[in-house]
Amino acid sequence: MKPSEFPPPFDPGEFIAAPSDPEDERIEVGVLIVGGGPAGLACAIRLGQLLEDAPEIAERLGDVPVAVLEKGKQPGSHLLSGAVVNPRSLRTLFKDRVRTADMPFLGRVEHEGVYFLTRERAVRIPAPPTMRNHGNFVASLSQLGRWLAERAEEGGATILPETSAAKLLLTDGRVRGVRTGDRGRGRAGDELANFEPGSDVLARVTVLAEGTQGHLTGVALSRLGLDGENPQVWALGVKEVWRVVKPLDRVIHTMGWPLRAGAKYREFGGSFIYPMGSDMVTVGMVVGLDHRDVELSVHDLLQEFKTHPLVREILEGGERIAWGAKTIPEGGFLSVPRRLSAPGLLICGDGAGLVNVPALKGIHYAVESGRLAAEAAFAALQPGETPWRPGALDGYDAALRESFIWEDLKRVRNMRQAFGRGFWLGGALAGAMTATRGAFPPGNARTEPDVEQEVFSTGRAAAYPAADGKLTFDKLSSVFLSGNKTRDDAPNHIRVRTDVPKELAELWEHMCPAQVYEAVEGGVEVTASNCVQCGAITAKGGRLTPPEGGSGPEYTLT
């Protein structure tokens, strides 16, 4: 059975429309940025810098030259990553305006260790060149997002939190902006006492920086013919933040146990443990969503991982204080869309698939792409130019192809695909690719959609440890720790078939880290209010659509 055999009730055309508000009720801005993550905020910051030196252009853009829509309660609420950050792009963005020492980092990476795990042992191995982090910085991405939002507002950007982008506004092949989502609807879609309809937000340039599994990004790629030759694939990451007794002096990555090496399982991934200052650590597990075992649960694998002697010693006597989950685009260079610009539109960050999986890096690519998007938008706003003219924003695609992002991703373009052949053969191929700087193999591999993988059950769940509330935890207590703000009576934002075979219902139940799905007789039941909007369901047979603005997790340390 393949999840693709039971597609969700979803039509991209449902989320594309022409402006419908009366002209005097439309909200008009200069540049509209959808998403308050590293890419969107870097774009807003760079636009502020450019408009500061071009007051005549700023004046032409009206009262709101730059607007950022953020669906979370505040910037950072939905941001989650490891995160070890290469500061290169932030330094370029701020130049001499902000010193690295003044950025909200939690420590510089001075030591690191990579381990291959068995059930009881940890064998230290040389760090692969792609995973060397000396000189990078550990950060909380949610904290970094809030800090970037403050810098964007200082530069003149208007940030609109609790505002989801529900529809892409399109006329005559030109992106005009977005329509925001309604607020205050009941479970059946009825208008409650606090109902507020969405609004048309029109812009000269719309920048989609929605992050992984971006809703309007997927709609735009499909409708505007921007897709590349290879489909995107994803991984799911689940992480916890712990307050610990003993400080950790290094970043740690592991591979091997509790994942299985056989090619038939397609369990590609690993774990990380990073110090967050002197009294906290973050521990996480990342696994590709092309896995085939119905009972594989990344959340429960993380609980199992913490029982390893290496990890247990680090966490001993500590307290879990934060939890979260998020998908990661893993297709790399081969899955980047054919184009990332269209008349009136730019796409950047994780939504564009700009993640280097072997290096476990994407944040500095998001920042760099946001900066380049801002410069392309600014160039198209010059007198005598119009951003919706075909080709007016082509400079963005050209700049990306000339950037270090393109060079980095091309060099490791086949590594993720190699591990579809199993851990040992994939590791050998990856080593050859590293040694030849991407010259071997000479061609391009193909990506296989996560949803097309045949699934089966092995009884894997029996090995997951029971929750003890001290070291290991269940999913519902984890959702509570995420600060989830979703109303119990909010409309369901998840599109799935509910009359599915037992195997698919169980796949979704185990896969979801937030206990949204429950396999029942004849199909699956959905508790959408548990959802932390990680996006895994979109990769594995369903579709996440925009929830009500302000719903979802309230991350502060992730």
Side-chain angles (χ1 to χ4, degrees):
M1 192 274 298
K2 298 179 180 179
S4 61
E5 295 168 0
F6 300 89
F10 175 82
D11 177 6
E14 180 184 348
F15 299 96
I16 294 176
S20 57
D21 283 342
E23 288 196 17
D24 60 347
E25 295 182 13
R26 297 173 182 175
I27 300 171
E28 297 197 8
V29 303
V31 178
L32 175 63
I33 300 166
V34 181
L41 294 171
C43 183
I45 290 166
R46 182 59 181 144
L47 280 168
Q49 295 170 354
L50 293 167
L51 292 173
E52 182 180 0
D53 297 327
E56 69 288 350
I57 294 178
E59 184 176 355
R60 281 197 294 112
L61 295 181
D63 294 336
V64 184
V66 180
V68 181
L69 301 188
E70 167 54 46
K71 62 184 173 67
K73 279 282 185 183
Q74 62 176 322
S77 292
H78 291 179
L79 294 181
L80 180 146
S81 180
V84 171
V85 180
N86 183 328
R88 174 179 183 175
S89 298
L90 288 168
R91 287 170 175 162
T92 301
L93 176 65
F94 288 109
K95 293 188 170 63
D96 56 354
R97 299 170 185 251
V98 180
R99 299 179 307 158
T100 305
D102 295 326
M103 297 176 187
F105 295 135
L106 299 171
R108 184 184 178 97
V109 178
E110 303 291 351
H111 307 285
E112 55 193 317
V114 179
Y115 295 85
F116 180 81
L117 301 187
T118 64
R119 177 63 189 87
E120 297 292 338
R121 297 188 60 211
V123 180
R124 189 164 183 176
I125 60 176
T130 56
M131 295 176 66
R132 292 172 185 165
N133 284 288
H134 188 81
N136 292 330
F137 292 85
V138 178
S140 156
L141 188 58
S142 57
Q143 290 180 352
L144 179 62
R146 289 193 294 277
W147 182 83
L148 287 170
E150 292 171 359
R151 306 290 82 74
E153 289 180 316
E154 289 171 357
T158 299
I159 297 179
L160 303 172
E162 302 187 52
T163 308
S164 63
K167 295 185 179 183
L168 192 69
L169 299 181
L170 185 69
T171 56
D172 301 322
R174 165 197 170 189
V175 174
R176 301 286 303 280
V178 305
R179 182 166 183 83
T180 63
D182 296 343
R183 299 188 63 191
R185 288 192 180 275
R187 183 169 297 172
D190 50 310
E191 297 180 8
L192 304 179
N194 62 341
F195 173 72
E196 297 176 14
S199 300
D200 290 347
V201 184
L202 305 186
R204 296 172 185 244
V205 180
T206 300
V207 182
L208 296 182
E210 298 175 291
T212 180
Q213 297 284 19
H215 168 67
L216 291 186
T217 301
V219 168
L221 293 176
S222 172
R223 181 60 174 263
L224 300 175
L226 306 178
D227 282 315
E229 293 184 5
N230 284 283
Q232 186 58 266
V233 295
W234 285 273
L236 175 61
V238 179
K239 68 174 284 186
E240 299 175 352
V241 179
W242 282 67
R243 183 169 284 113
V244 292
V245 176
K246 297 179 294 184
L248 181 65
D249 68 346
R250 66 191 63 238
V251 302
I252 294 173
H253 293 100
T254 81
M255 55 190 72
W257 185 91
L259 298 177
R260 294 168 290 187
K264 72 175 183 177
Y265 301 113
R266 294 184 72 104
E267 293 182 4
F268 171 77
S271 73
F272 59 87
I273 310 172
Y274 300 155
M276 299 177 67
S278 61
D279 65 341
M280 294 189 297
V281 301
T282 182
V283 53
M285 175 72 65
V286 179
V287 182
L289 286 169
D290 57 345
H291 65 78
R292 290 174 170 161
D293 193 338
V294 161
E295 296 187 15
L296 188 141
S297 162
V298 182
H299 176 278
D300 292 305
L301 284 172
L302 175 59
Q303 307 313 308
E304 189 175 12
F305 171 69
K306 289 184 296 179
T307 67
H308 193 280
L310 173 72
V311 190
R312 186 189 291 268
E313 182 180 2
I314 294 170
L315 302 180
E316 193 73 43
E319 176 191 7
R320 189 178 73 148
I321 58 176
W323 173 94
K326 202 76 170 178
T327 50
I328 305 163
E330 283 204 332
F333 182 82
L334 300 179
S335 297
V336 172
R338 180 177 56 84
R339 292 184 57 79
L340 293 168
S341 66
L345 177 71
L346 296 167
I347 301 172
C348 55
D350 277 13
L354 304 179
V355 173
N356 186 327
V357 175
L360 308 174
K361 293 289 179 293
I363 295 171
H364 69 303
Y365 297 145
V367 170
E368 185 73 2
S369 65
R371 181 182 72 84
L372 295 176
E375 293 179 352
F378 182 74
L381 293 168
Q382 299 299 310
E385 183 58 280
T386 52
W388 50 89
R389 175 185 63 80
L393 295 170
D394 284 358
Y396 174 60
D397 289 280
L400 272 179
R401 284 169 170 77
E402 294 169 3
S403 72
F404 69 85
I405 300 174
W406 211 253
E407 180 182 354
D408 286 359
L409 296 186
K410 187 173 184 180
R411 188 176 299 165
V412 298
R413 67 193 182 279
N414 289 319
M415 282 195 187
R416 172 63 178 88
Q417 289 75 6
F419 281 92
R421 305 185 185 187
F423 177 80
W424 299 113
L425 179 55
L429 291 170
M433 295 171 196
T434 300
T436 61
R437 299 174 67 85
F440 173 85
N444 294 332
R446 302 284 297 179
T447 58
E448 302 173 11
D450 299 324
V451 75
E452 291 288 345
Q453 298 297 329
E454 291 190 5
V455 298
F456 51 82
S457 183
T458 66
R460 177 70 175 88
Y464 298 141
D468 63 14
K470 296 179 180 179
L471 179 66
T472 57
F473 301 88
D474 61 21
K475 291 180 177 180
L476 287 182
S477 67
S478 300
V479 174
F480 177 80
L481 204 58
S482 76
N484 191 359
K485 303 293 185 183
T486 306
R487 291 187 290 117
D488 287 341
D489 62 344
N492 184 1
H493 61 286
I494 300 167
R495 304 282 183 91
V496 293
R497 287 268 300 271
T498 56
D499 57 334
V500 295
K502 177 183 177 181
E503 291 89 347
L504 184 53
E506 291 182 349
L507 170 70
W508 290 342
E509 179 178 311
H510 287 288
M511 174 194 71
C512 177
Q515 204 165 315
V516 170
Y517 311 95
E518 181 183 359
V520 295
E521 185 70 29
V524 65
E525 287 186 354
V526 179
T527 306
S529 58
N530 283 2
C531 181
V532 294
Q533 303 173 29
C534 73
I537 190 65
T538 301
K540 217 65 173 173
R543 179 75 183 211
L544 193 68
T545 66
E548 182 178 74
S551 66
E554 181 66 21
Y555 294 141
T556 58
L557 287 174
T558 57

